[in-house]
Amino acid sequence: MSRFLSLAEARSVRPNGWLDTIIKGDCVAALDALPDQSVDVIFADPPYNLQLGGTLHRPDQSLVDAVDDEWDQFASFEAYDAFTRAWLLACRRVLKPNGTIWVIGSYHNIFRVGATLQDLNFWILNDVVWRKTNPMPNFKGRRFQNAHETMIWASRDPKAKGYTFNYDAMKAANDDVQMRSDWLFPICSGGERLKDADGKKIHPTQKPEALLARVIMASTKPGDIVLDPFFGSGTTGAVAKRLGRHFVGIEREQDYIDAALARIDAVEPLGKQTLTVLSGKKAEPRVAFNTLIESGLIAPGTVLTDARRRYSAIVRADGTLASGSDAGSIHRLGAKVQGLDACNGWTFWHYADGKELKPIDALRAVVRSDMAKLD
Amino acid sequence: MSRFLSLAEARSVRPNGWLDTIIKGDCVAALDALPDQSVDVIFADPPYNLQLGGTLHRPDQSLVDAVDDEWDQFASFEAYDAFTRAWLLACRRVLKPNGTIWVIGSYHNIFRVGATLQDLNFWILNDVVWRKTNPMPNFKGRRFQNAHETMIWASRDPKAKGYTFNYDAMKAANDDVQMRSDWLFPICSGGERLKDADGKKIHPTQKPEALLARVIMASTKPGDIVLDPFFGSGTTGAVAKRLGRHFVGIEREQDYIDAALARIDAVEPLGKQTLTVLSGKKAEPRVAFNTLIESGLIAPGTVLTDARRRYSAIVRADGTLASGSDAGSIHRLGAKVQGLDACNGWTFWHYADGKELKPIDALRAVVRSDMAKLD
DNA sequence: GTACCTCTTGAATCATATA
DNA sequence: GTATATGATTCAAGAGGTA
């Protein structure tokens, strides 16, 4: 059975008695209860300090369930920085000399976290981008869709060269090319998302196990100790156990601890490491028409026609087409000129290649073959 | 002919005489020579403070041509922070109140830049990841392949809501889905890369024009002023000119200035027609519901329903709707009958056209197209 | 079983013009 | 400055219901 320890217990248990447990309490106090240089890797998912204003509604008027928990509120950047500095310093002491730390965040907090890491003499090895396959849209159309989060991976010390990085495993898992710093994963939803009896999500920001699996497979060895100072629903612990690593979690909220303990108990460790890697080879990557312009395959001002030259349109620099007083995407304008509701602009619009007309889809194929090497 | 100005000239030229020029000199001093609130967008590619220790060789023992220029050297994080603070403050004064700034960097410097932006009360709108199709591999196999750089897009002020974001154009250019925060582009190479007579690259970190094109198309209007305080080889200027925007560059090194001037001279601006930016409903003129009644498109007494005929209302002669004992504007009543606090009456309410239900928005479109013929 | 449709939801710094 | 009225705005998945 999994268990959790009070701060006093964490301090007094026999050496390593805190392995594979959750320590209940404030993050810094709990870290202070652990011995020097005792963990191999830290994965930290601290509060993001979102600073949300009012409420936000979707276009269908439904309310967005925002992260408004008390633990995500800070009075100022200074307060957030002081908090960050305190827990990172405590982490530093607990890390083995060749240990590394991962911190995940968004643009709200990650820059402050990164600067603090550098100030405390951690040495950044990579920043890794988690690209979400299914991020929440920007409902008001005022910004780019916020489709990623950032992880910083850093060693405890600039001179430490002995940190674990399973380069060959990563490369083998990635079609025999180096694992890049941009990773593609879905957000945590469906059956993986922990819910209470009423179907309400237990934790507002549960991370996907696939993300933690890659982190752990990349930067730890079997039997290593992975500490998570903001344990939440216990994703780090569940994945560590499954992958044959030890975990230590720190968490304040009893509700999260209860959920995490039950979750981890249900995990069956893998006999053999059979980490499945999500190859980003989805059906076909989406290519923006804009990309053809940006990559010089088609110039703004080019005239496109349909296959029989009945309709024509001019390519604008913003990636839209214009025809007479109408304008829009390749699809919208294709539909418009034909008086239809819908149209596949990729196959409808053609460009002149010598005397021949070719569909712009041919140019998309060029872009896709360049992209194919990536995902 | 393009030209460059000395600091003294930049200070003394007639108003806007510094448009489409390169100012030679230190970045902060040159910014100080420009008027308050005079530029729309800033794109900055500051020194990355790479701090490479020693030299790096590829597996075949060839030497990696690293960025080791004098301008990329800083004694400490403190020195880099002071530098960052100084040029960002100078940028802040020069930006229009609704202006925005883009800064690009890597994990070496972007966290310090981001934190400083926040400290100076810039308001981060997005962090945007440039995913490189063809990044340099990690030669030692000790880290993930560093396959991206990060751009921060921020408004001058947290309360400034009037910044330019061409949402509809970005969406139309992206297969009619929102543009995401992760962008895929090749690094600058081949014919685009500026080289000297010996074939040596002129600038170590020349950015691809495609990247700048998306930045400028997303966040400026034709005729806007784009300032680049670290002009280098002039990518920002070349793309701004091509896209019908004004540029101002600041650069210290005469070699870079010479290369940039020649490069920009060779750029042919696109025609006005191709530069028109697609704008959505937000930019359409307002039409009062009353206008539909006055122009005879809908008669008082007409019964409107929602798309599924769950709710109905009657059109009154004063341009309001009534339903039972409730009455109000098309929006208020739409909200009221659904028990919501907001509703777009134009798309909610439908009228019967034969057997079919059509949104009253279709009638608004008729009014708008009639209005368009007038001007 | 399957195909199709509807509804829900996810770390979000998310409007603007006029009075 | 504030208050009010207009009316613009979403992508991918999964769950569950219906034909």
Side-chain angles (χ1 to χ4, degrees):
Chain A
M1 270 305 281
S2 299
R3 66 216 169 89
F4 73 96
L5 307 177
S6 67
L7 279 181
E9 285 167 333
R11 276 189 217 100
S12 61
V13 288
R14 66 186 185 285
N16 288 354
W18 40 270
L19 275 190
D20 302 315
T21 67
I22 305 173
I23 303 172
K24 179 174 182 176
D26 167 73
C27 150
V28 174
L31 283 163
D32 289 347
L34 298 180
D36 284 1
Q37 308 190 357
S38 52
V39 311
D40 296 285
V41 163
I42 295 175
F43 181 88
D45 182 10
Y48 285 13
N49 187 24
L50 287 187
Q51 312 175 74
L52 300 178
T55 56
L56 180 66
H57 290 87
R58 298 187 179 83
D60 66 2
Q61 302 300 329
S62 64
L63 183 67
V64 174
D65 183 18
V67 176
D68 55 359
D69 303 73
E70 168 271 328
W71 49 254
D72 198 48
Q73 312 292 321
F74 291 84
S76 63
F77 285 132
E78 290 69 30
Y80 188 80
D81 290 346
F83 162 77
T84 302
R85 200 179 162 84
W87 73 259
L88 280 176
L89 264 177
C91 281
R92 190 177 177 71
R93 185 188 60 80
V94 163
L95 262 186
K96 292 182 184 173
N98 276 320
T100 60
I101 183 170
W102 293 81
V103 189
I104 185 168
S106 67
Y107 65 84
H108 308 84
N109 70 323
I110 198 65
F111 302 114
R112 316 204 72 86
V113 168
T116 305
L117 276 165
Q118 291 178 316
D119 289 342
L120 297 180
N121 209 34
F122 287 93
W123 193 250
I124 299 181
L125 299 168
N126 279 113
D127 59 334
V128 172
V129 173
W130 167 30
R131 302 173 52 221
K132 303 179 183 184
T133 58
N134 49 349
M136 192 184 292
N138 182 287
F139 295 116
K140 303 294 186 186
R142 295 296 294 142
R143 306 177 177 198
F144 299 99
Q145 183 182 29
N146 190 10
H148 74 276
E149 294 187 24
T150 301
M151 292 184 291
I152 302 175
W153 181 41
S155 62
R156 204 198 69 160
D157 199 86
K159 291 178 296 274
K161 302 292 185 195
Y163 61 86
T164 295
F165 177 55
N166 300 315
Y167 174 80
D168 293 307
M170 287 289 109
K171 184 170 173 180
N174 192 40
D175 274 6
D176 288 322
V177 293
Q178 294 193 338
M179 186 67 79
R180 296 167 47 106
S181 55
D182 53 333
W183 301 355
L184 183 67
F185 291 110
I187 60 176
C188 181
S189 66
E192 188 184 324
R193 189 88 194 209
L194 298 188
K195 307 224 168 82
D196 64 17
D198 302 330
K200 223 167 63 74
K201 60 190 175 195
I202 297 255
H203 193 281
T205 69
Q206 184 179 340
K207 295 295 177 287
E209 296 197 358
L211 185 74
L212 267 293
R214 187 172 293 175
V215 163
I216 289 175
M217 288 306 291
S219 59
T220 69
K221 299 189 184 75
D224 274 2
I225 303 173
V226 183
L227 180 144
D228 185 336
F230 305 97
F231 203 59
S233 55
T235 306
T236 303
V239 176
K241 179 179 175 189
R242 181 157 58 82
L243 296 178
R245 276 73 171 171
H246 294 289
F247 71 88
V248 194
I250 298 173
E251 178 52 52
R252 290 194 307 190
E253 312 272 340
Q254 189 64 46
D255 287 350
Y256 298 161
I257 292 176
D258 294 340
L261 289 176
R263 175 186 188 183
I264 293 168
D265 267 344
V267 167
E268 202 60 46
L270 291 175
K272 212 174 182 183
Q273 297 154 24
T274 49
L275 170 59
T276 54
V277 173
L278 182 90
S279 85
K281 281 198 183 96
K282 306 210 304 174
E284 295 241 61
R286 188 192 293 280
V287 174
F289 179 62
N290 214 7
T291 307
L292 271 53
I293 302 171
E294 290 161 340
S295 61
L297 287 167
I298 200 161
T302 303
V303 173
L304 302 180
T305 68
D306 68 301
R308 299 205 220 154
R309 302 183 201 265
R310 286 174 299 187
Y311 310 106
S312 72
I314 188 168
V315 175
R316 302 199 295 195
D318 64 356
T320 61
L321 300 186
S323 178
S325 59
D326 293 322
S329 70
I330 54 173
H331 312 298
R332 289 278 105 234
L333 196 72
K336 182 90 177 182
V337 298
Q338 298 179 90
L340 301 174
D341 285 342
C343 164
N344 182 346
W346 290 107
T347 52
F348 177 73
W349 294 109
H350 290 61
Y351 66 100
D353 183 19
K355 285 178 185 169
E356 210 180 342
L357 285 183
K358 288 187 178 171
I360 55 175
D361 207 24
L363 300 175
R364 181 168 63 161
V366 174
V367 172
R368 277 193 175 145
S369 84
D370 288 345
M371 288 170 63
K373 299 157 198 162
L374 296 181
D375 298 309
Chain B
M1 267 307 278
S2 300
R3 65 217 169 88
F4 73 95
L5 306 177
S6 68
L7 277 182
E9 286 167 332
R11 276 188 217 103
S12 62
V13 290
R14 67 185 182 288
N16 288 353
W18 40 270
L19 275 191
D20 303 314
T21 69
I22 305 174
I23 303 172
K24 181 176 181 174
D26 166 74
C27 151
V28 174
L31 284 164
D32 289 346
L34 298 179
D36 284 2
Q37 308 190 358
S38 53
V39 311
D40 296 286
V41 162
I42 295 174
F43 181 88
D45 182 12
Y48 284 13
N49 188 26
L50 286 186
Q51 308 178 314
L52 293 177
T55 56
L56 182 63
H57 292 85
R58 296 188 177 85
D60 64 2
Q61 298 305 317
S62 65
L63 182 67
V64 174
D65 183 18
V67 177
D68 56 358
D69 303 74
E70 170 268 331
W71 49 254
D72 200 47
Q73 309 295 317
F74 291 85
S76 63
F77 286 131
E78 289 69 31
Y80 189 80
D81 290 346
F83 162 77
T84 301
R85 199 180 162 84
W87 71 261
L88 280 177
L89 264 176
C91 282
R92 191 178 175 71
R93 185 188 61 80
V94 163
L95 260 188
K96 293 182 185 174
N98 276 321
T100 60
I101 183 170
W102 292 80
V103 189
I104 185 168
S106 67
Y107 66 82
H108 305 87
N109 70 323
I110 198 65
F111 303 116
R112 316 205 72 84
V113 168
T116 305
L117 276 166
Q118 291 178 315
D119 290 342
L120 296 180
N121 208 33
F122 287 92
W123 193 245
I124 300 180
L125 298 168
N126 280 113
D127 59 336
V128 173
V129 172
W130 168 28
R131 303 172 54 220
K132 303 177 184 183
T133 56
N134 47 351
M136 190 183 294
N138 181 282
F139 294 115
K140 301 283 189 190
R142 295 296 294 139
R143 306 175 181 201
F144 299 98
Q145 182 181 28
N146 191 11
H148 74 277
E149 294 189 25
T150 301
M151 293 185 289
I152 302 175
W153 182 40
S155 63
R156 204 196 71 160
D157 198 87
K159 291 178 295 276
K161 303 286 187 191
Y163 60 86
T164 295
F165 177 54
N166 299 316
Y167 173 79
D168 295 290
M170 287 289 113
K171 181 173 171 176
N174 192 39
D175 252 22
D176 290 323
V177 291
Q178 297 191 334
M179 188 69 78
R180 296 168 45 112
S181 56
D182 52 334
W183 302 355
L184 183 67
F185 290 111
I187 60 174
C188 181
S189 64
E192 187 185 323
R193 188 87 196 213
L194 297 187
K195 306 219 171 84
D196 65 16
D198 302 329
K200 222 166 62 70
K201 57 193 177 194
I202 298 245
H203 193 279
T205 66
Q206 185 180 338
K207 295 294 176 288
E209 297 198 358
L211 186 73
L212 267 293
R214 188 172 293 176
V215 163
I216 289 175
M217 289 307 297
S219 59
T220 69
K221 300 188 184 77
D224 274 2
I225 303 172
V226 183
L227 180 144
D228 185 335
F230 306 97
F231 203 59
S233 56
T235 307
T236 303
V239 177
K241 179 179 175 188
R242 181 158 57 80
L243 296 179
R245 276 72 169 170
H246 294 290
F247 71 88
V248 193
I250 298 173
E251 179 52 52
R252 289 193 308 192
E253 312 274 338
Q254 190 64 46
D255 287 351
Y256 297 160
I257 292 175
D258 294 339
L261 288 175
R263 174 187 189 182
I264 293 168
D265 266 344
V267 168
E268 200 60 47
L270 292 171
K272 197 176 172 190
Q273 196 188 357
T274 52
L275 290 178
T276 308
V277 174
L278 183 76
S279 56
K281 275 190 179 176
K282 282 174 185 162
E284 298 274 331
R286 289 209 175 184
V287 173
F289 179 62
N290 215 4
T291 309
L292 271 54
I293 301 172
E294 290 161 346
S295 58
L297 287 166
I298 199 160
T302 303
V303 173
L304 303 181
T305 69
D306 68 301
R308 298 207 216 153
R309 302 182 202 266
R310 286 177 298 192
Y311 311 105
S312 71
I314 188 166
V315 176
R316 302 201 292 197
D318 63 355
T320 59
L321 300 186
S323 178
S325 58
D326 294 321
S329 72
I330 54 173
H331 311 298
R332 290 279 103 237
L333 194 71
K336 182 88 176 185
V337 298
Q338 295 179 92
L340 299 173
D341 48 352
C343 167
N344 182 342
W346 290 108
T347 51
F348 178 73
W349 293 111
H350 291 60
Y351 67 98
D353 183 19
K355 284 179 187 171
E356 213 179 344
L357 284 183
K358 288 187 177 172
I360 56 175
D361 205 23
L363 299 175
R364 182 170 62 162
V366 174
V367 171
R368 278 182 174 152
S369 89
D370 289 346
M371 289 166 62
K373 290 168 193 157
L374 297 179
D375 56 39

